[in-house]
Amino acid sequence: LVVVGINHRTAPVDVRERVVFEPARVPDALHELATLPPVEEAVIVSTCNRTEIYCVTDSGEVELGDWLQRYHQLGSSIQHCLYHLDDAKAVTHAFAVASGLDSMVIGEPQILGQLKDAYRTAQEAGTTGPVLNRLFQAAFSVAKRVRTETQIGANAVSVASAAVAMAKTVF
């Protein structure tokens, strides 16, 4: 299991914007990604604050960052902005993302819906399999449990609502 991504912590907005996948192009991108020799399963998560590629590979080594750069026809390297996570670290990351713990505003709920949409798109494209199916179902269960058993969503849940709350206290 491999996750390669870029997010609000690793890259500025202008870099993140260049690697966003248009929703209508994701199925084709998934099919192209699945043609890479070591890739057995794939899901692409692409939002305004993150683009992540979740893959199961037969060899463990695949240059997903290079593929991402080629796919978006970027002239300059984005390698310095990417994170690479394998196996247990990839699972932990998926759970944190689904639960809103890896968001710009901790606890924002939109990412869970975006993950579900990305997973559904990959299922429809035929690029998921037993490993990613299990990962995403577990991540959705963990996110639900975090939401029901903690107070994670009790405060501001978006950048806009956090800005409004800050403005109220300042002015």
Side-chain angles (χ1 to χ4, degrees):
L1 177 62
V2 179
V3 176
V4 171
I6 189 169
N7 68 18
H8 61 282
R9 287 192 191 96
T10 65
V13 172
D14 64 309
V15 174
R16 293 192 315 262
E17 287 176 344
R18 295 185 325 189
V19 295
V20 169
F21 288 85
E22 293 177 34
R25 293 185 63 198
V26 172
D28 290 337
L30 285 165
H31 288 127
E32 184 179 317
L33 184 57
T35 66
L36 297 177
V39 175
E40 296 178 347
E41 300 177 37
V43 171
I44 296 173
V45 176
S46 189
T47 72
C48 60
N49 284 321
R50 79 178 60 245
T51 294
E52 295 180 335
I53 301 170
Y54 291 77
C55 284
V56 175
T57 66
D58 62 5
S59 67
E61 280 299 315
V62 61
E63 294 301 323
L64 296 174
D66 290 341
W67 176 83
L68 184 63
Q69 194 165 313
R70 279 192 315 274
Y71 184 86
H72 288 289
Q73 302 173 346
L74 302 177
S76 57
S77 176
I78 59 167
Q79 293 295 332
H80 65 285
C81 297
L82 297 175
Y83 46 89
H84 303 258
L85 305 167
D86 296 317
D87 301 322
K89 288 182 180 179
V91 172
T92 301
H93 177 75
F95 289 2
V97 170
S99 300
L101 297 173
D102 190 56
S103 297
M104 192 176 287
V105 175
I106 301 296
E108 65 91 4
Q110 291 83 8
I111 189 63
L112 181 58
Q114 293 164 331
L115 277 178
K116 287 180 178 181
D117 290 343
Y119 174 62
R120 187 178 312 106
T121 299
Q123 281 186 307
E124 291 169 359
T127 61
T128 62
V131 176
L132 290 181
N133 288 338
R134 188 170 176 201
L135 171 68
F136 279 89
Q137 291 303 318
F140 301 152
S141 294
V142 165
K144 181 178 182 192
R145 189 168 177 200
V146 167
R147 293 248 172 250
T148 58
E149 295 182 17
T150 71
Q151 294 294 314
I152 194 165
N155 295 315
V157 291
S158 70
V159 173
S161 62
V164 169
M166 175 75 77
K168 284 181 180 178
T169 61
V170 171
F171 299 108

